[in-house]
Amino acid sequence: MKRIIGAGPGAPTTGLTAATTPEKPAVRRVVVDEGSAGQRLDNFLLRELKGVPKTHVYRVIRAGEVRVNKGRAQADTRLELGDEVRIPPVRLPERAAQPAAPAREFPVVFEDEHLLVIDKPAGVAVHGGSGVSHGVIEALRRARPEARFLELVHRLDKETSGLLMIAKKRSALVHLQDQLRDRETGKTYAALVWGDWPDRLKVIDVPLVKFVGGDGERWVRPGRDGEDDAKRSISLVRVVRKTLRFSLLDVTIKTGRTHQIRVHLQQAGHAIVGDPKYGDFEKNRELARGPARFDRMFLHARRLRVSHPATGAELVLEAPLPPECAKLAAP
């Protein structure tokens, strides 16, 4: 756990805030522990000073008010175990009290001292924000108060179920995120789509563009080659089986763009069953109200292949289809 050294002579402090009163913020000196070793200084401060605008955090770094081992440091300085970071007095904005996240555990697929992989249920956000007070990571931290470090390695949409990685050490977080960035992992999703998926369509190589719609929500649309902000996105599709109304697909992503699978399948003319954002709303409503009572999105992160962040051994992890999905997709 981080040690916080006194805000002034003879005034040791504990907790994340060293101010003697809310009106008088004070200097903090924080000793970097294993959970923060290797982190950039700017990211470390953004976590320590939750609620403070990024512009202000970078301003105090540029002004030299933040010191590492009593010397000036840059935003991209990598912190090392035992470093002492001087954090200047910063007044945190007053915010309405948020209800604490309820402690909750989730089905564990794999766990050791470096990594936790869970089977996330549909309908649960991975973290708080954007109108959601808390998610998986906050619930896990509450359920495991003794854990020194718990951070999301990647994200899943709230509506998506399946395998989610949480790092238990910063070294594991960096190693796994490097694998994701370098496309050295295999992430396969089960997706049920409307209609008869063409067997010949095995590769979708369509760039994607993120934008904010008139409703203020984040959306993604297919882009054009050469279009500003269009990022190349590749999904590999394999047909598992077909029924009278649906096609069950295995989709392996070679890139990890926001809403990639949802938009790729929709633009191919076969939206994901139950998708509330890009799907066929009339069919979804009919399915939810009919005998099946299926009222979620059928997208499930079912298989994950990564190298273990400490040993390098290949991990191949799987999460079976949730019962309601297995029933709907049955032959």
Side-chain angles (χ1 to χ4, degrees):
M1 184 174 293
K2 289 188 287 293
R3 287 190 295 118
I4 301 181
I5 301 174
T13 62
T14 58
L16 289 180
T17 306
T20 54
T21 70
E23 292 75 22
K24 295 181 179 179
V27 169
R28 285 194 290 144
R29 293 181 176 85
V30 181
V31 176
V32 175
D33 66 0
E34 185 184 56
S36 298
Q39 192 172 28
R40 285 172 50 122
L41 177 61
D42 52 358
N43 292 331
F44 174 83
L45 291 172
L46 289 168
R47 189 176 68 179
E48 288 291 314
L49 299 172
K50 290 187 186 298
V52 174
K54 285 186 178 181
T55 53
H56 187 71
V57 170
Y58 285 103
R59 188 179 303 126
V60 296
I61 295 174
R62 289 195 301 269
E65 295 181 53
V66 177
R67 299 294 178 112
V68 177
N69 299 328
K70 300 183 179 180
R72 293 180 68 129
Q74 303 299 315
D76 60 357
T77 296
R78 293 284 178 181
L79 299 176
E80 297 182 4
L81 184 67
D83 282 349
E84 180 187 302
V85 181
R86 176 194 185 274
I87 302 178
V90 176
R91 191 181 301 279
L92 297 175
E94 292 185 9
R95 293 183 293 178
Q98 293 288 337
R104 180 178 178 183
E105 290 280 359
F106 299 88
V108 174
V109 177
F110 175 88
E111 182 171 13
D112 64 9
E113 66 269 29
H114 303 277
L115 174 64
L116 168 65
V117 182
I118 66 167
D119 187 355
K120 185 188 85 69
V124 181
V126 296
H127 60 78
S130 300
V132 178
S133 60
H134 54 264
V136 168
I137 194 65
E138 291 86 3
L140 279 173
R141 288 170 180 160
R142 190 73 184 274
R144 302 179 176 211
E146 75 289 350
R148 298 177 63 186
F149 186 89
L150 288 174
E151 291 287 349
L152 293 165
V153 175
H154 61 116
R155 286 159 173 72
L156 292 176
D157 290 341
K158 180 179 178 181
E159 300 88 353
T160 303
S161 56
L163 297 168
L164 179 67
M165 293 188 287
I166 295 101
K168 297 172 69 175
K169 292 187 177 183
R170 179 156 298 281
S171 57
L173 177 67
V174 173
H175 191 284
L176 291 164
Q177 288 184 335
D178 285 345
Q179 289 186 56
L180 293 171
R181 189 178 304 110
D182 296 337
R183 303 178 188 176
E184 295 175 352
T185 61
K187 295 168 70 177
T188 299
Y189 293 73
L192 192 73
V193 299
W194 294 101
D196 184 3
W197 184 270
D199 293 326
R200 70 183 184 280
L201 184 52
K202 298 180 180 181
V203 179
I204 301 176
D205 187 352
V206 175
L208 298 175
V209 178
K210 290 194 292 187
F211 67 99
V212 178
D215 54 3
E217 288 195 21
R218 179 181 60 179
W219 290 78
V220 176
R221 63 168 176 80
R224 298 178 297 276
D225 289 332
E227 180 183 0
D228 289 345
D229 300 325
K231 295 185 177 181
R232 190 179 186 191
S233 308
I234 303 172
S235 300
L236 309 181
V237 182
R238 181 179 72 87
V239 176
V240 177
R241 62 173 170 268
K242 298 180 181 181
T243 67
L244 289 175
R245 302 182 69 190
F246 313 120
S247 296
L248 179 61
L249 311 175
D250 262 354
V251 184
T252 301
I253 56 173
K254 306 303 288 185
T255 52
R257 310 301 183 197
T258 300
H259 298 170
Q260 176 175 321
I261 296 175
R262 300 166 69 175
V263 177
H264 269 177
L265 301 186
Q266 185 265 353
Q267 65 83 38
H270 299 270
I272 294 176
V273 171
D275 188 337
K277 199 175 187 82
Y278 304 99
D280 187 317
F281 308 117
E282 291 300 324
K283 288 183 178 179
N284 289 345
R285 186 183 301 112
E286 174 190 339
L287 194 62
R289 294 176 177 176
R293 298 291 180 185
F294 189 84
D295 60 355
R296 57 157 290 185
M297 180 171 70
F298 197 129
L299 185 60
H300 178 71
R302 74 165 194 84
R303 188 175 187 271
L304 177 66
R305 177 183 53 78
V306 296
S307 296
H308 189 277
T311 68
E314 184 179 65
L315 292 177
V316 179
L317 306 172
E318 297 193 357
L321 282 176
E324 69 276 12
C325 292
K327 181 178 179 181
L328 186 67

